Amino acid sequence: MSRRPRRRRAKRSTKSHGRQRRQQLSKEIRELYPPGSADGDPDAEWHAGLEDELDAELHRSPVRPRPPTNTGASAPKESTPGAREPDSADGLEKIGLVAAISSGACRVETEDSSLVDCVLPSELARDQRAAVAVGDRVAFIAHGAGNYRVQRVLERHTTLSRPDPHNPRLERVIAANIDVAVHVASVVEPALRPALIDRYLIAIDRGGAEAVVCVNKIDLLTDSEARQQELERLDAYRRLALEILPISAVTGEGLEALRDLLAGKTAVFVGHSGVGKSSLLNALEPETDAVIGQTSGHGKGRHTTTRSSLYRLAGDITVIDTPGIREFGLWELTASELRAYFPDFDRHSAACRFNNCSHSHEPDCAVRQAVETGEIARPRFETYLRILASL
Ligand code: GDP
Ligand code: ZN
């Protein structure tokens, strides 16, 4: 079934060079980080020590220098200031973007778009789940023939994190420097459940990225009234100035709007399994098989996970797709953390009778009173209660 609209050719052809590079990048990443099993739970995979396997792979043989992917020419001997040549000079610090990560090492996209494997210094490797993530910008140096080492991680402007499953107090950064987190929901199958959106929004907000909600599979609501009714269920979020995009990976409706929103940005796609994240990623870049959605015999959505990757898509869109990122919002939140995401309650909570008031059932709760008087927006409070009840 190819009802998917074709991309404009003219735009494409001028981008063919970039596309080749992207495909090469995706290919190289897939070689080093082959897709996990279709049944693999990204969370489990992330934490099951698979990194050790990669660690062995990366360290058994010395990390080899990679030729630049977009030029056959070798680097000129003298370097011109500002020239972006492959990193051959010892000791010269370069800046790159972490495109994939494994234990003790990472693959870095250099400013000239070549890829190099860098060893992480022990202090970063020791706590690498927090210290370095896909999307991080790093300073690295060449030392010895074809060996690269990360020197330091540059300051992040956003993160997506979750607590470590073994120690919920420990933050695990799963991606860095994301501009937009696209929360994908769907209608009909699975049905739209607005309550599920809140956790994602809180987690996204916590890391500083902008959130966008895509309501996928909108093609399944053919009746315009039913469609409108369904979308009205998200009015509370629209009032929070959140972009809500009805979309269909199948018909292509809404795709241009999504492309426009993501142009020039780094994005992640999050949401429950089966809502169509892989399909949307594929629809954004129909030519590449960089991201593959798989369907089981029962029609339940599955996704293939690569361990950690960064993809360059058409239209200057960068997507980070790493294990655990898609459903990262499902992590546990403590009640006190939750309260921190409702700073609009703070002004009132000081007047609650109990200073650890959960604002759910306690007597003399100033927050509930503020809801009654309209000083706190009721939908916000209901969202809060709903999440609290789910903790
Ligand atoms: P993921 O788990 O979120 O990555 O979901 P997938 O992309 O694997 O999609 C799950 C299922 O939904 C697959 O059977 C897709 O063919 C189907 N699907 C995805 N997007 C759409 C859409 O826009 N419309 C319809 N009707 N089905 C879709
Ligand atoms: Zn209270």
Side-chain angles (χ1 to χ4, degrees):
M1 210 188 330
S2 65
R3 278 183 285 154
R4 190 183 279 155
R6 302 305 302 164
R7 300 268 295 146
R8 281 158 286 168
R9 279 292 121 191
K11 198 169 162 188
R12 276 273 159 191
S13 57
T14 58
K15 301 243 176 194
S16 67
H17 179 74
R19 190 168 69 235
Q20 269 173 13
R21 188 171 67 68
R22 288 192 304 274
Q23 284 171 347
Q24 181 67 25
L25 177 74
S26 300
K27 183 169 164 280
E28 291 205 23
I29 288 174
R30 277 202 310 278
E31 278 167 9
L32 185 66
Y33 303 95
S37 114
D39 292 313
D41 164 22
D43 258 34
E45 235 177 87
W46 182 255
H47 293 287
L50 283 173
E51 292 100 331
D52 297 341
E53 207 180 281
L54 282 169
D55 189 36
E57 185 186 316
L58 280 162
H59 292 285
R60 201 179 301 123
S61 51
V63 176
R64 287 184 305 279
R66 300 219 158 227
T69 55
N70 58 351
T71 163
S74 57
K77 281 282 175 260
E78 331 84 354
S79 66
T80 331
R84 291 171 175 184
E85 298 303 338
D87 317 279
S88 53
D90 270 20
L92 190 62
E93 195 174 81
K94 304 268 179 160
I95 302 297
L97 185 66
V98 176
I101 190 161
S102 63
S103 184
C106 62
R107 180 156 286 188
V108 172
E109 188 190 29
T110 67
E111 288 186 325
D112 70 350
S113 301
S114 52
L115 288 167
V116 293
D117 290 323
C118 295
V119 169
L120 290 168
S122 56
E123 66 273 18
L124 285 182
R126 209 178 304 129
D127 192 24
Q128 70 175 60
R129 284 168 178 174
V132 58
V134 176
D136 263 326
R137 294 179 70 237
V138 292
F140 66 97
I141 55 161
H143 64 104
N147 290 317
Y148 298 89
R149 189 177 60 224
V150 168
Q151 295 291 90
R152 62 203 155 86
V153 177
L154 306 194
E155 201 184 331
R156 295 166 174 152
H157 70 269
T158 64
T159 55
L160 274 188
S161 348
R162 60 176 176 184
D164 184 285
H166 306 297
N167 181 356
R169 286 169 194 281
L170 270 186
E171 181 189 24
R172 294 305 188 200
V173 178
I174 42 183
N177 298 322
I178 297 117
D179 300 305
V180 185
V182 180
H183 170 62
V184 183
S186 65
V187 293
V188 185
E189 46 179 42
L192 185 64
R193 291 166 66 198
L196 295 179
I197 296 176
D198 299 312
R199 284 176 156 233
Y200 285 99
L201 294 185
I202 289 173
I204 293 164
D205 187 60
R206 178 186 233 177
E210 184 197 338
V212 168
V213 176
C214 277
V215 184
N216 191 36
K217 309 197 186 184
I218 202 71
D219 57 286
L220 297 178
L221 292 176
T222 42
D223 178 65
S224 68
E225 206 168 304
R227 178 187 162 127
Q228 194 185 334
Q229 260 176 19
E230 194 74 337
L231 290 172
E232 272 169 11
R233 296 174 62 207
L234 297 173
D235 279 352
Y237 299 95
R238 233 173 255 115
R239 282 196 294 271
L240 290 170
L242 195 67
E243 186 87 40
I244 312 252
L245 221 60
I247 202 163
S248 168
V250 169
T251 64
E253 176 180 350
L255 270 185
E256 279 305 321
L258 182 61
R259 276 196 191 97
D260 289 347
L261 266 173
L262 302 184
K265 295 184 177 165
T266 299
V268 295
F269 282 60
V270 300
H272 284 76
S273 185
V275 293
K277 296 176 295 297
S278 302
S279 307
L280 282 176
L281 284 169
N282 280 328
L284 283 175
E285 175 103 348
E287 286 86 349
T288 182
D289 61 350
V291 211
I292 304 150
Q294 296 187 342
T295 308
S296 76
H298 308 294
K300 185 177 175 293
R302 296 276 178 88
H303 52 254
T304 300
T305 53
T306 51
R307 287 191 181 99
S308 37
S309 331
L310 180 142
Y311 300 95
R312 303 286 192 194
L313 304 188
D316 195 20
I317 297 169
T318 301
V319 170
I320 294 177
D321 196 19
T322 84
I325 207 168
R326 295 173 157 218
E327 302 188 35
F328 83 107
L330 302 175
W331 46 267
E332 294 300 324
L333 200 66
T334 66
S336 66
E337 276 178 315
L338 175 65
R339 281 198 290 274
Y341 285 94
F342 291 82
D344 38 339
F345 296 1
D346 289 353
R347 199 157 56 88
H348 307 280
S349 58
C352 292
R353 187 205 287 189
F354 301 106
N355 62 11
N356 63 347
C357 183
S358 71
H359 321 310
S360 57
H361 60 277
E362 296 88 343
D364 299 329
C365 171
V367 168
R368 283 209 310 279
Q369 280 159 19
V371 173
E372 293 308 320
T373 61
E375 286 171 89
I376 288 176
R378 186 173 292 277
R380 280 279 285 171
F381 182 66
E382 284 171 356
T383 292
Y384 166 82
L385 283 185
R386 210 161 48 221
I387 299 176
L388 184 69
S390 73
L391 298 182

